[in-house]
Amino acid sequence: MTSKSLDHLIRDWRPGFSLARQFYTDAAVFAQEAEQLFPEHWYLVDHSSRVAETGEYFTVSLFGESIIVIRGRDGKLHAHYNVCRHRGSRICSKAEGKVNKLMCPYHAWTYDLDGTLRAARLMHEGFDKSEYALKPCHIREYKGLIFLNTSAGEAPDFDEMVAPLEPFLELHGLDKAKVAHRQLYPADANWKMVIENFFECYHCGPSHPELSAVHSLAKLLAFGAGPGSGPIEAERAFQDEMQTWEQNSRDLGHHTGMYNDEDPNRFRAAMRTPIRTGFLTETKDGQPAAPLMGNFQDYDGGHTAVSFNPFGTLLMSNDFAVLFRFTPISTTKTDMEIVWLVDENATEGRDYDVERITWVWDTTTQQDKHIIEQNVAGVMSDAYEPGPYSMQEQISNQLMEWYMRGLSPEIPEALDPGTVPT
């Protein structure tokens, strides 16, 4: 596909409708996204407890690149492209481990944990090791969370990105958490179809009976995919229950409220809402499944959602947190990974039960994988054409507006938010 044909697709896009098939299937579109859109964002990739000790590392795939995240001798996290500076071999072939040094398995070039080249055998006179450090990737460690950015130049302002979300995160003590379980759900689907599905709850009733049993239907209709995701009438109908819960939560000293980004070029949001009457946490029976986290001294029956951008979201109960990471792998493959977090002092089998804390989102994500891949099959048909978003898919509509602005600066910055066709 030429840039002209991509420009043509952008010009033909209709706000309030899903995208043309080529946006989901064409490799040239994905290449343009990797060059123009992806480097503009920080990606939530994991929790710091995975690399707590010196030399502990893991590799992460971002947009076709393999990146090594490792704890250095200075106690800080470092991120290196997993490419030897000699002939380009992968250095780390395992997903995770612990090392004293990074050694290329091909010709044994050896790097320190901070990426500096320490040894390169039989090189010519005048060879300067300082010129051949591993290429770095931007990395930030924040409240126990690890973020990467693949910009070739200066990274976007991280502190500005997280500032409005901090009150919601502070409550949950993620810097004093640990990983209880992680699960990968590879999807044979373009990343936009995966994320579109995540940010709408129009499908929740028909497709997710377990999720709909944990959260009240009134709440899912009003705020199932975040602030502003449902019809205004649904928000009004939920208002009394919401206000009563907020007052009770504030009486306990807990942060409440919502944040919805007004910057059309971003996609940040945060909110605290009640789960459902009688539920203290997000489990099958609503009863606690782990020790309280962070600043919670008692259960308020609340649920905190924080989205840094379309690729990284946290959904947090009082006693455990769920980290969602959506990673574009190729045009038609996306990794959905979920990491469940509990208090760092909790002991499995005594203080928490993995099956109980993972039940609702493991079940829901398996269902999502199925419906997304069914959606892919339909989009591949010649009969497919973009369809109109419902009043409960307003975040999906905003997501597409955000996406189009990322590809084309000519897209107006003041589209009517949440506009859907009638």
Side-chain angles (χ1 to χ4, degrees):
M1 176 184 293
T2 66
S3 59
K4 183 177 180 180
S5 60
L6 176 57
D7 290 343
H8 187 269
L9 285 171
I10 293 173
R11 286 198 302 271
D12 285 350
W13 166 67
R14 298 173 64 189
F17 283 75
S18 59
L19 300 179
R21 178 172 61 185
Q22 292 94 322
F23 280 109
Y24 302 120
T25 61
D26 199 290
V29 172
F30 186 84
Q32 186 74 12
E33 293 165 350
E35 178 182 339
Q36 189 171 334
L37 181 67
F38 299 155
E40 294 300 313
H41 302 280
W42 284 96
Y43 292 87
L44 174 62
V45 296
D46 220 304
H47 189 264
S48 298
S49 61
R50 188 174 185 184
V51 280
E53 299 180 5
T54 299
E56 288 188 325
Y57 77 89
F58 66 90
T59 60
V60 60
S61 177
L62 281 182
F63 328 128
E65 296 286 357
S66 176
I67 296 166
I68 305 165
V69 176
I70 191 165
R71 181 74 64 182
R73 303 184 202 285
D74 55 3
K76 297 179 181 179
L77 284 180
H78 301 268
H80 316 297
Y81 284 89
N82 192 8
V83 179
C84 181
R85 294 298 308 279
H86 176 220
R87 296 259 298 277
S89 173
R90 284 281 187 264
I91 296 170
C92 295
S93 58
K94 295 181 179 178
E96 59 186 350
K98 185 175 182 180
V99 295
N100 291 319
K101 58 192 175 187
L102 294 166
M103 180 181 290
C104 177
Y106 196 3
H107 298 99
W109 278 33
T110 303
Y111 303 86
D112 205 346
L113 305 182
D114 65 0
T116 55
L117 180 61
R118 293 304 185 200
R121 299 177 303 113
L122 303 175
M123 298 305 294
H124 56 78
E125 184 179 353
F127 175 76
D128 186 353
K129 293 196 295 290
S130 68
E131 296 181 1
Y132 292 92
L134 294 177
K135 292 192 175 181
C137 179
H138 300 290
I139 186 167
R140 285 293 297 267
E141 187 174 9
Y142 172 78
K143 294 188 183 299
L145 305 173
I146 303 171
F147 295 82
L148 296 177
N149 171 265
T150 59
S151 296
E154 186 175 350
D157 189 330
F158 182 87
D159 294 332
E160 191 277 334
M161 180 194 77
V162 298
L165 310 175
E166 186 165 357
F168 298 90
L169 296 167
E170 186 68 28
L171 186 60
H172 291 267
L174 299 176
D175 56 336
K176 298 186 182 302
K178 68 177 182 180
V179 174
H181 185 68
R182 69 173 64 244
Q183 186 68 45
L184 187 65
Y185 306 84
D188 291 325
N190 183 268
W191 66 272
K192 294 183 291 296
M193 300 181 79
V194 171
I195 294 175
E196 267 189 285
N197 175 79
F198 186 76
F199 282 105
E200 57 98 339
C201 212
Y202 192 41
H203 73 284
C204 290
S207 300
H208 299 314
E210 293 82 5
L211 181 67
S212 300
V214 170
H215 294 272
S216 72
L217 292 177
K219 179 258 188 82
L220 291 178
L221 181 59
F223 300 115
S229 61
I232 189 64
E233 294 80 7
E235 292 188 24
R236 290 171 180 157
F238 190 61
Q239 187 173 22
D240 287 347
E241 182 179 343
M242 182 73 169
Q243 289 178 342
T244 299
W245 172 82
E246 284 187 322
Q247 185 59 57
N248 291 336
S249 187
R250 285 194 295 267
D251 289 345
L252 291 170
H254 301 162
H255 180 74
T256 61
M258 295 189 181
Y259 170 78
N260 203 359
D261 207 327
E262 295 182 358
D263 184 343
N265 297 310
R266 294 186 178 273
F267 204 79
R268 297 172 298 183
M271 67 176 184
R272 295 208 71 227
T273 55
I275 298 173
R276 85 179 295 140
T277 302
F279 275 61
L280 298 178
T281 188
E282 204 178 27
T283 55
K284 184 183 292 189
D285 60 3
Q287 295 306 298
L292 287 166
M293 294 181 69
N295 298 332
F296 291 106
Q297 300 299 315
D298 199 357
Y299 286 85
D300 67 3
H303 189 248
T304 306
V306 175
S307 291
F308 299 95
N309 50 48
F311 305 96
T313 290
L314 289 162
L315 299 181
M316 299 174 283
S317 295
N318 296 176
D319 54 350
F320 62 92
V322 190
L323 182 159
F324 293 82
R325 179 171 74 94
F326 304 106
T327 305
I329 301 299
S330 68
T331 309
T332 56
K333 291 189 181 296
T334 305
D335 276 351
M336 301 184 286
E337 185 175 29
I338 304 181
V339 180
W340 286 265
L341 304 171
V342 295
D343 183 81
E344 63 184 357
N345 296 315
T347 300
E348 182 179 354
R350 184 189 70 189
D351 300 317
Y352 68 93
D353 182 285
V354 168
E355 185 175 351
R356 293 190 66 214
I357 67 173
T358 61
W359 171 75
V360 68
W361 283 110
D362 174 62
T363 302
T364 300
T365 306
Q366 290 187 55
Q367 293 163 344
D368 277 337
K369 174 178 163 63
H370 174 73
I371 60 179
I372 291 166
E373 290 176 348
Q374 288 296 300
N375 192 191
V376 171
V379 168
M380 293 301 293
S381 168
D382 289 339
Y384 168 77
E385 61 183 44
Y389 289 121
S390 73
M391 293 300 295
Q392 207 179 354
E393 295 171 287
Q394 305 209 43
I395 302 298
S396 290
N397 184 49
Q398 292 171 23
L399 174 67
M400 292 303 101
E401 293 176 358
W402 165 88
Y403 170 73
M404 286 298 181
R405 289 190 191 96
L407 287 184
S408 175
E410 297 178 1
I411 299 296
E413 289 195 1
L415 289 172
D416 185 11
T419 300
V420 293
T422 58

